[in-house]
Amino acid sequence: MSQLRRLPKFEFVGPRSLAEVCALTAEAAAGEVLLLAGGTDAILQMRRRERTPRRVVGLKGVRDLAFVRETGEGGLAIGAMTTLAELLAAPLVRSRYALLCETAAQIGGIELRNVATVGGNVAGALPCADLPPALMALEARVKLSSRRGERWVPLDEFFPEFGRTAARDGELVSEIGLPRPAPGSGGAYLKFHDRHSMDMTVVGVSACVTRDAERGVVRDLRLAFASAAPTVFRARRAEALLRGAALTEQALEEVAEAACREADPRTSWRANREYRQALVRSLTKRAIGQAWAKAAANEGAPS
Amino acid sequence: MRSLVEVTLRVNGIDHEVAIAPWRTLLEVLRETLALTGTKRSCGEGQCGTCTVLVDGKAVNACLYLAIEAQGRDVRTIEGPPQGDPALAEIQRAFAANGAVQCGFCTPGMVMVTRALLAGNPAPNEDEIREALVGHLCRCTGYVQIVEAIQDAAGRLARQEAH
Ligand SMILES: Cc1cc2nc3c(=O)[nH]c(=O)nc-3n(C[C@H](O)[C@H](O)[C@H](O)COP(=O)(O)OP(=O)(O)OC[C@H]3O[C@@H](n4cnc5c(N)ncnc54)[C@H](O)[C@@H]3O)c2cc1C
């Protein structure tokens, strides 16, 4: 019963501010320090001895990383230590970013959402993480902070390969930034999993559609996928097929086919490659259809 | 490595001064150091909900929470405070009255998540109750009696309020 094993030994530090965290990560060699956000992935990784850090930096007391607020440009700023429950409760998220609520609500149960953080879901770089596809479809950027300063990386360039992020040399994720959604846009996240809840995503598809109401065509489309390749990714070639086009059966088939070609799913005990391909095909069509319907419902709404 | 750290853990309203190793989970410290064995240990990976306790009023899995990070927070377990917690007691009575307990292993976790649910939503509908139970497994009774117990508990607490 390896899951009942004790955690490997480590030294613990609990900084109170982002500046203190940066000072701690700056001095550390790779693998020596583990940032513990909610810990819902990291504690299990340590229990399995996949990670045996000398020092754990607990972030739960870093309150300047827990916030949800509107930016000067009318977008959204989410602090890395915002829990999924806090995200779901934020009025601005509920009113303007329904896609984020729809997605976060599908992650784990309440016990998990009370501690799991937005930053941990993104920085963990898991291909099956549910928030990154939704955030990518919303054109999120990631703010990386270190003692040297800060820089922004578009989320769709944040996962260079399986399990890795663009963060380097003591950088941590401090904030996720989102632009204000275009008027007449809508989004959907479809997560396929075996059980109704508490299960990892077999394939997840997020679609954001902006309608051109006058011409009755798709003005913009963004598609991003979980568990369909070694990293969460945006299917840019598939998206391009539908821009400026009417949403016909034929067009949807072509987009779904293109998304399949961009996907590179693996075979695991959860599902084999062919099964995941079939899911990508059907969920892509369904997600676009739902996003289109929501975009139509949002038309004229003040967002 | 200097291993033991002195911390103060506030559990059920009582401050405990304990020396703990930083790699101990809240679940291990509650059960093994504080002898509060009402909180159960089962899957050890956040799937089953038997180790659910409240930290600052919020339900969390104690198996995925470091004890050292509970410092300065308010931890509540199924044992409740020494002076009693009327809401917790009423929920427990509702579970017993509705046949929601068979082997009893999942019950402490179920009762604690109910305590948190009803504090924030005194009259949940069935969907909301089932949603709150998503992270909880019961292998004996099925969930029907548990849902009924929670509905009954909500009613009992509402009547208590009215008095
Ligand atoms: C029972 C169960 C069910 C789950 N269900 C789902 C699900 O449905 N969907 C889903 O997407 N996930 C799921 N997860 C996985 C996990 O809970 C989420 O990915 C969660 O959001 C991780 O966040 P955390 O704060 O707990 O991260 P942690 O576990 O604290 O950290 C995860 C990783 O990110 C690093 N990290 C954390 N924060 C930062 C930061 N600010 N900067 C740089 N690095 C950082 C950590 O060092 C670690 O490597 C589940 C987990 C469990 C145990």
Side-chain angles (χ1 to χ4, degrees):
Chain A
M1 299 244 261
S2 66
Q3 71 272 32
L4 298 182
R5 274 163 80 186
R6 296 224 191 271
L7 298 177
K9 297 183 177 177
F10 52 74
E11 174 189 305
F12 180 88
V13 250
R16 312 300 294 182
S17 68
L18 175 59
E20 283 176 50
V21 181
C22 290
L24 287 162
T25 56
E27 298 152 9
E32 215 189 7
V33 159
L34 181 134
L35 295 176
L36 193 77
T40 60
D41 272 325
I43 289 198
L44 296 182
Q45 288 165 352
M46 287 193 283
R47 195 164 282 153
R48 292 193 295 260
R49 304 301 191 267
E50 290 161 17
R51 302 184 67 176
T52 49
R54 190 179 67 79
R55 178 184 261 189
V56 167
V57 177
L59 302 179
K60 286 195 181 71
V62 185
R63 295 317 292 171
D64 59 353
L65 284 180
F67 56 83
V68 177
R69 56 178 173 245
E70 189 167 14
T71 63
E73 302 86 58
L76 188 71
I78 308 169
M81 284 305 292
T82 305
T83 65
L84 300 181
E86 286 163 352
L87 184 74
L88 277 165
L92 187 60
V93 178
R94 300 172 76 91
S95 62
R96 213 177 275 165
Y97 297 88
L99 172 58
L100 277 190
C101 287
E102 177 181 331
T103 308
Q106 295 186 64
I107 298 179
I110 185 65
E111 288 85 356
L112 193 90
R113 293 193 295 272
N114 278 338
V115 291
T117 64
V118 174
N121 198 267
V122 171
L126 295 174
C128 61
D130 290 310
L131 275 186
L135 289 169
M136 245 181 228
L138 291 165
E139 300 190 287
R141 298 185 307 158
V142 180
K143 185 159 126 184
L144 292 171
S145 298
S146 69
R147 212 160 58 175
R148 299 183 305 279
E150 54 186 57
R151 65 185 176 113
W152 287 93
V153 180
L155 182 58
D156 57 3
E157 294 166 17
F158 191 60
F159 305 116
E161 62 187 23
F162 172 81
R164 265 200 48 224
T165 73
R168 51 177 195 248
D169 306 332
E171 283 178 326
L172 72 143
V173 173
S174 52
E175 186 178 320
I176 310 288
L178 292 172
R180 193 185 176 107
S185 65
Y189 181 62
L190 298 182
K191 162 172 174 163
F192 186 89
H193 47 157
D194 293 335
R195 290 200 278 152
H196 171 60
S197 51
M198 297 298 286
D199 208 359
M200 287 298 169
T201 298
V202 178
V203 163
V205 182
S206 195
C208 269
V209 171
T210 310
R211 272 166 52 109
D212 182 333
E214 260 158 49
R215 295 168 53 219
V217 298
V218 174
R219 188 196 302 274
D220 195 13
L221 167 68
R222 292 180 303 274
L223 283 173
F225 295 81
S227 290
T231 68
V232 171
F233 71 99
R234 227 178 115 173
R236 289 185 177 272
R237 282 189 290 272
E239 293 171 358
L241 294 176
L242 212 53
R243 276 196 202 105
L247 197 68
T248 60
E249 275 300 315
Q250 170 73 23
L252 270 180
E253 282 302 335
E254 281 166 22
V255 174
E257 216 33 70
C260 268
R261 283 194 297 274
E262 280 175 84
D264 180 18
R266 67 173 188 142
T267 290
S268 76
W269 61 268
R270 260 180 233 286
N272 66 21
R273 179 179 172 90
E274 292 69 33
Y275 188 68
R276 288 188 213 254
Q277 292 278 16
L279 285 171
V280 167
R281 192 170 295 119
S282 62
L283 294 183
T284 298
K285 290 186 277 190
R286 221 180 284 170
I288 295 172
Q290 288 188 12
W292 171 266
K294 288 186 201 169
N298 287 343
E299 230 136 65
S303 93
Chain B
M1 187 180 302
R2 196 193 59 206
S3 55
L4 293 188
V5 184
E6 304 275 344
V7 298
T8 306
L9 291 181
R10 191 173 185 80
V11 182
N12 297 323
I14 302 169
D15 284 335
H16 299 266
E17 316 263 334
V18 287
I20 56 170
W23 55 88
R24 307 292 297 285
T25 63
L26 180 57
L27 177 60
E28 288 163 357
V29 169
L30 287 172
R31 289 181 55 87
E32 298 164 23
T33 309
L34 300 178
L36 293 169
T37 53
T39 305
K40 300 303 177 206
R41 165 159 128 167
S42 180
C43 78
E45 49 183 69
Q47 293 278 350
C48 75
T50 61
C51 68
T52 298
V53 299
L54 308 190
V55 173
D56 292 340
K58 294 182 184 124
V60 310
N61 294 127
C63 73
L64 295 180
Y65 208 100
L66 293 183
I68 200 167
E69 292 197 284
Q71 229 186 146
R73 299 176 191 266
D74 179 40
V75 180
R76 300 274 161 165
T77 71
I78 190 69
E79 283 85 358
Q83 73 278 17
D85 169 354
L88 193 63
E90 208 54 60
I91 295 165
Q92 288 167 315
R93 277 193 282 275
F95 268 67
N98 287 274
V101 179
Q102 192 169 317
C103 86
F105 203 83
C106 72
T107 311
M110 298 275 189
V111 168
M112 292 315 284
V113 77
T114 303
R115 180 75 179 81
L117 171 71
L118 297 182
N121 178 2
N125 63 33
E126 184 176 338
D127 284 347
E128 289 165 335
I129 292 173
R130 287 189 176 271
E131 175 51 40
L133 296 179
V134 151
H136 293 259
L137 298 177
C138 166
R139 303 284 83 155
C140 305
T141 71
Y143 300 88
V144 173
Q145 289 98 320
I146 293 168
V147 171
E148 287 167 358
I150 296 172
Q151 285 165 330
D152 183 27
R156 288 166 182 249
L157 291 179
R159 287 192 295 278
Q160 238 181 27
E161 280 287 291
H163 280 293

